[in-house]
Amino acid sequence: MQSSKSKLKFRPHINILRQVSEMNFNCGKKLIADILTGKKTSQVKRLNLHKKILFSSLALYDQSDVIELINLLVHKGYLKYEKERNTYFKTLRLTDKGKEELVNPHDTDELKNSLSIEYDIEKVTSTDLKTFAELGDILGMLSDEQKKAVIHAGKYVLCIAGAGTGKTNVLTKRVHFLSQYRDVAQEKILAVTFTRKAKAEMKERLEGLVPNNSYVIETFNSFCEKILRKNAREIYGKEIKVMDFRTKKDILFKAIKESGYSAADAIDMYYAKKRRPTNDEVTLFLRFMYDIYSCIDHQKNNNISDEELHKEIMSYQNKSLAKFIYQLIQKIGMYKEEAGYRDFTDQIIHTLDFFKKNRAAIPKFDHILIDEYQDVNDTQIELIDILSPKNLFVVGDPRQSIYGWRGSKVSHILDFSKKFDDAKVLQLTKNYRSKNQIVSLTNSVIKPMRMPDLMSNGEGEDADNESVILVSHDNRDRQLTFVAESILSQNIPRNEVFILARTNKELDDMERILRQADIRYLKRTTELSKKNKDPEEEEVTLATIHAIKGLEAELVYLIGANTLSFPCMVSDHPIMGLVKFDSHYDKFDEELRVFYVALSRAKTKLIINYTGTLTKFLDYRSKKIIQKKIDLQNKVKWKLNKQYRK
């Protein structure tokens, strides 16, 4: 009988560091990988390296996996990979940081996100199948993995739900199952989503199952706002209003003016003219505004004092800009206090403060369910902890954790089993969104995380297996023109087309080409997140990857899939250089996950475009999956799948 649990464990980095340290001569990546994977090459045998203690210690791993891990260790500063003097050969050396890791191997916080994912995952057992049969049609058309997640009786449960695996359906059905078949009072069930759209979708589905229900379905912010309004007199002693987009803009304008500058001055100071992502001053100001308020959120979410923030900001090389930014932050705080405003971060912090002083006011829930758990930050975790639910069910995907730059921590989902005694971990592995070739590619790209592969639903596969196309371009303009011309050749609804880019600059350039081609589009960015809406039938969606997370389309164009954008070598947000990230944040790891999110948005067709050098996130395994490669530099005509051509 199949075991009810499977172990995921990945900690080979110590073996690599030890082997490098024990070599009595300088060597390269391939030789270290040969030794550890147990390959008796002529060089290994000639040097008697097959007699080393660590020989074959990583025999279960491919050589490419070990080399991939060596690259990560180099990137993170545990190893150096440099040219030997007067030669063309690069060799590996242990750094002081690597030596310290060997002396104190328990201190692996910086590595654990990539190198130490560890879960005990419960599989569907014969006992589960018997239970499903006894329940009959109650669970509807769910897969066995989904059914297990819906009915699981564990007190603390993490459900790892990969892209397109139906997590919203599972959450909805679990809420319904708890109230209808476990006799849990509806008002004692709280489900927390991250967006208003997800909240509305869940409420609509539950209303269809149980009309006029009293389930508590909220976002983190809407939940807190109701607490604050209910207890406003006790908390504030005066009327406090929520800052909307226009209020934020007006307050920033006021702060800039009273600092002796204009909005144009602020833009000139903030953006180097040669590196401006766009000439549209409205767009530049909105991004500047977004960054200022992100810095304010950074201070509040991390409990940073004004003195500490001042020190952080004034460490920036452009002192006049740093001073200006700090003045604006101080003035905004003062104006908010005077006018009686709270922002979205204040909602959670003020609610926490109220609960700490008034324990009797904390609402009691028998079951709390949390969506998108990979995106939670410390403040949200503190809120969950203070609610102290009798039962906690969280759904998320470590592969899609891409908001570390604004405070979320992937460690919360990775360490769920460590935090809660007797925690249970489930998984959803069948992708109902994307065609097989797309799923295979995303599995290959995210392989460094050592997560379980997703499986395609396998319905309606193309005989020619051309769901993924890779296109090389001579320059950026040709790349963008190709995308526009390709869109004009499609016969699917425009609102089923995404054009995704890593940076705002790439979006701005694409906008120009779309206008020239008379292609209507809807733009989505993180800065405009409160204004984002669904595209109309004649509009394609032009978006940054961060702004599109959670959505999907039949056809996805990814532009700029090169080494400058993945991992991203530039920042759309200069202010992020003024504040320091916590040690948990690893840009390289997160950039890989951003790339994964982009690819996994596609349902039927994925067209990856690049100029220059192709991103290293597409390694040899990934390239083998992409069977059709279009090289415009060699004047090979691009062809699209027949079902997409007019």
Side-chain angles (χ1 to χ4, degrees):
M1 189 173 95
Q2 187 181 29
S3 170
S4 63
K5 293 187 178 183
S6 63
K7 188 79 166 181
L8 287 180
K9 189 170 183 178
F10 184 45
R11 287 181 53 88
H13 72 287
I14 293 296
N15 294 41
I16 293 174
L17 297 178
R18 280 182 58 195
Q19 186 59 59
V20 173
S21 71
E22 292 175 6
M23 298 296 287
N24 54 13
F25 60 90
N26 294 330
C27 62
K29 300 176 185 178
K30 185 178 183 302
L31 183 57
I32 293 295
D34 285 342
I35 297 169
L36 295 175
T37 57
K39 289 184 170 54
K40 291 185 179 181
T41 64
S42 58
Q43 184 183 22
V44 168
K45 289 189 287 187
R46 177 169 53 83
L47 298 171
N48 285 323
L49 297 176
H50 58 293
K51 297 180 180 179
K52 291 280 188 180
I53 293 176
L54 292 174
F55 181 79
S56 195
S57 62
L58 298 180
L60 295 178
Y61 298 97
D62 294 336
Q63 185 187 56
S64 60
D65 295 329
V66 176
I67 290 176
E68 197 170 64
L69 182 50
I70 291 172
N71 290 335
L72 278 173
L73 291 170
V74 171
H75 172 78
K76 296 182 180 183
Y78 291 85
L79 293 172
K80 282 187 177 180
Y81 188 53
E82 298 175 330
K83 283 184 180 179
E84 287 290 302
R85 184 176 296 180
N86 301 322
T87 74
Y88 293 101
F89 301 104
K90 286 186 176 182
T91 58
L92 288 167
R93 289 196 182 98
L94 204 64
T95 64
D96 290 340
K97 185 177 180 181
K99 293 174 183 176
E100 176 63 25
E101 178 67 13
L102 285 175
V103 174
N104 299 296
H106 60 283
D107 185 17
T108 58
D109 282 348
E110 185 179 353
L111 288 168
K112 66 183 178 183
N113 291 355
S114 295
L115 314 181
S116 185
I117 294 177
E118 186 174 342
Y119 292 120
D120 285 337
I121 295 181
E122 292 196 358
K123 298 290 188 179
V124 175
T125 65
S126 56
T127 302
D128 292 325
L129 295 175
K130 184 179 179 181
T131 303
F132 301 157
E134 291 172 351
L135 287 170
D137 296 332
I138 291 173
L139 299 177
M141 301 298 291
L142 299 177
S143 70
D144 288 343
E145 286 181 340
Q146 291 173 331
K147 290 176 181 177
K148 187 178 181 78
V150 168
I151 71 172
H152 201 286
K155 186 175 181 181
Y156 301 109
V157 180
L158 163 64
C159 181
I160 302 173
T165 56
K167 67 179 179 62
T168 303
N169 199 22
V170 165
L171 277 172
T172 304
K173 291 294 179 63
R174 183 170 174 86
V175 169
H176 176 246
F177 182 81
L178 289 172
S179 66
Q180 300 300 107
Y181 303 100
R182 289 276 173 83
D183 295 326
V184 181
Q186 293 178 7
E187 65 275 10
K188 290 296 183 179
I189 301 175
L190 167 65
V192 182
T193 70
F194 261 78
T195 66
R196 287 174 290 182
K197 182 176 180 180
K199 170 186 170 181
E201 181 181 355
M202 185 175 291
K203 287 177 75 74
E204 182 179 357
R205 291 192 188 189
L206 285 168
E207 187 65 22
L209 293 170
V210 185
N212 302 313
N213 65 73
S214 56
Y215 302 122
V216 185
I217 314 297
E218 303 288 353
T219 64
F220 278 104
N221 290 99
S222 67
F223 173 82
C224 291
E225 181 62 20
K226 288 179 179 178
I227 296 294
L228 296 177
R229 288 184 179 181
K230 182 179 179 180
N231 302 279
R233 180 170 297 181
E234 183 175 354
I235 297 172
Y236 299 108
K238 61 179 181 180
E239 182 184 359
I240 299 291
K241 304 175 287 293
V242 178
M243 290 179 69
D244 57 17
F245 180 85
R246 181 171 181 175
T247 303
K248 283 187 172 184
K249 185 174 65 174
D250 291 345
I251 286 180
L252 179 57
F253 269 127
K254 181 179 179 182
I256 292 171
K257 183 178 180 180
E258 294 195 3
S259 296
Y261 298 97
S262 66
D265 294 332
I267 291 172
D268 287 339
M269 291 174 66
Y270 193 56
Y271 300 99
K273 289 189 177 181
K274 291 182 179 180
R275 296 182 60 186
R276 281 191 182 186
T278 178
N279 292 321
D280 183 349
E281 292 206 350
V282 173
T283 298
L284 289 173
F285 184 80
L286 290 177
R287 291 175 186 171
F288 173 66
M289 179 178 114
Y290 176 85
D291 290 356
I292 292 294
Y293 284 100
S294 292
C295 192
I296 293 171
D297 288 343
H298 162 79
Q299 179 183 11
K300 289 186 288 192
N301 281 325
N302 293 282
N303 197 27
I304 297 172
S305 68
D306 287 343
E307 292 75 18
E308 291 172 318
L309 182 66
H310 182 265
K311 185 177 179 180
E312 284 189 7
I313 291 179
M314 293 310 296
S315 65
Y316 191 60
Q317 58 185 1
N318 186 334
K319 301 301 180 185
S320 60
L321 173 60
K323 183 178 179 180
F324 176 57
I325 295 295
Y326 184 74
Q327 286 178 345
L328 292 182
I329 291 171
Q330 293 300 300
K331 287 181 180 295
I332 288 171
M334 181 180 66
Y335 298 153
K336 280 177 58 185
E337 178 66 25
E338 290 176 352
Y341 283 110
R342 60 172 172 261
D343 59 28
F344 294 129
T345 302
D346 292 330
Q347 286 175 326
I348 299 180
I349 292 175
H350 294 178
T351 300
L352 282 170
D353 290 341
F354 173 67
F355 283 163
K356 289 173 184 177
K357 297 173 184 176
N358 302 272
R359 296 280 173 174
I362 301 174
K364 304 298 181 184
F365 296 99
D366 292 335
H367 287 262
I368 293 183
L369 301 88
I370 311 291
D371 194 9
E372 303 286 7
Y373 196 71
Q374 76 280 348
D375 292 332
V376 292
N377 60 33
D378 287 347
T379 308
Q380 291 160 341
I381 286 292
E382 189 177 358
L383 178 63
I384 297 168
D385 289 344
I386 205 167
L387 291 175
S388 189
K390 296 177 181 178
N391 299 275
L392 179 64
F393 182 92
V394 304
V395 180
D397 184 8
R399 289 161 288 211
Q400 298 186 68
S401 177
I402 63 172
Y403 294 110
W405 54 277
R406 69 181 188 191
S408 69
K409 291 185 179 179
V410 69
S411 58
H412 289 307
I413 191 169
L414 296 179
D415 294 341
F416 186 86
S417 298
K418 297 177 183 177
K419 178 173 180 177
F420 297 104
D421 293 336
D422 198 31
K424 307 299 181 183
V425 182
L426 312 177
Q427 66 178 350
L428 305 180
T429 58
K430 182 171 285 190
N431 182 311
Y432 297 93
R433 171 188 299 161
S434 305
K435 288 198 171 183
N436 182 64
Q437 192 184 12
I438 297 171
V439 174
S440 296
L441 179 63
T442 56
N443 284 337
S444 176
V445 164
I446 208 64
K447 191 172 183 180
M449 284 195 73
R450 291 289 167 180
M451 299 293 294
D453 280 351
L454 299 184
M455 299 176 293
S456 170
N457 195 34
E459 296 180 359
E461 292 298 321
D462 290 334
D464 55 4
N465 197 30
E466 290 182 5
S467 296
V468 183
I469 296 176
L470 180 63
V471 190
S472 172
H473 303 271
D474 284 334
N475 55 56
R476 292 181 66 189
D477 276 351
R478 289 193 181 185
Q479 174 184 215
L480 304 180
T481 300
F482 165 81
V483 171
E485 291 177 349
S486 175
I487 290 171
L488 291 172
S489 76
Q490 309 303 319
N491 60 3
I492 61 172
R494 293 278 173 86
N495 60 353
E496 280 293 340
V497 177
F498 286 173
I499 307 173
L500 304 184
R502 177 64 186 85
T503 66
N504 283 312
K505 176 64 168 68
E506 292 170 303
L507 289 192
D508 296 334
D509 292 341
M510 190 73 238
E511 272 191 285
R512 171 174 53 86
I513 301 298
L514 291 178
R515 287 195 295 266
Q516 291 174 1
D518 199 26
I519 297 174
R520 292 186 60 191
Y521 62 90
L522 174 70
K523 191 175 181 181
R524 297 177 68 98
T525 69
T526 51
E527 295 89 345
L528 301 175
S529 60
K530 302 306 176 187
K531 291 191 171 185
N532 288 334
K533 59 185 180 65
D534 293 330
E536 297 178 4
E537 187 173 344
E538 294 305 313
E539 294 175 329
V540 302
T541 298
L542 179 63
T544 58
I545 298 165
H546 285 91
I548 209 69
K549 184 173 170 292
L551 304 179
E552 59 188 39
E554 291 291 337
L555 171 60
V556 171
Y557 296 90
L558 177 61
I559 59 177
N562 55 36
T563 52
L564 292 178
S565 295
F566 298 99
C568 188
M569 304 302 290
V570 297
S571 174
D572 280 325
H573 309 287
I575 199 172
M576 293 309 171
L578 304 180
V579 296
K580 298 186 177 89
F581 290 107
D582 294 333
S583 60
H584 77 276
Y585 179 72
D586 190 299
K587 181 176 175 62
F588 183 85
D589 291 347
E590 186 155 299
E591 288 293 320
L592 174 62
R593 298 193 292 266
V594 171
F595 190 66
Y596 171 83
V597 166
L599 304 184
S600 59
R601 300 308 92 199
K603 293 194 286 187
T604 305
K605 174 78 71 178
L606 172 63
I607 303 179
I608 305 170
N609 301 270
Y610 72 100
T611 60
T613 304
L614 181 65
T615 173
K616 297 301 187 292
F617 291 158
L618 289 173
D619 62 11
Y620 79 95
R621 290 182 300 249
S622 303
K623 291 175 186 174
K624 287 173 68 175
I625 294 169
I626 305 172
Q627 295 185 4
K628 186 162 188 67
K629 180 177 179 180
I630 303 176
D631 190 345
L632 295 184
Q633 292 177 332
N634 294 327
K635 298 181 180 180
V636 178
K637 294 281 189 178
W638 56 270
K639 295 180 180 179
L640 298 174
N641 194 304
K642 291 180 182 178
Q643 74 183 86
Y644 288 109
R645 294 185 65 83
K646 286 186 176 180

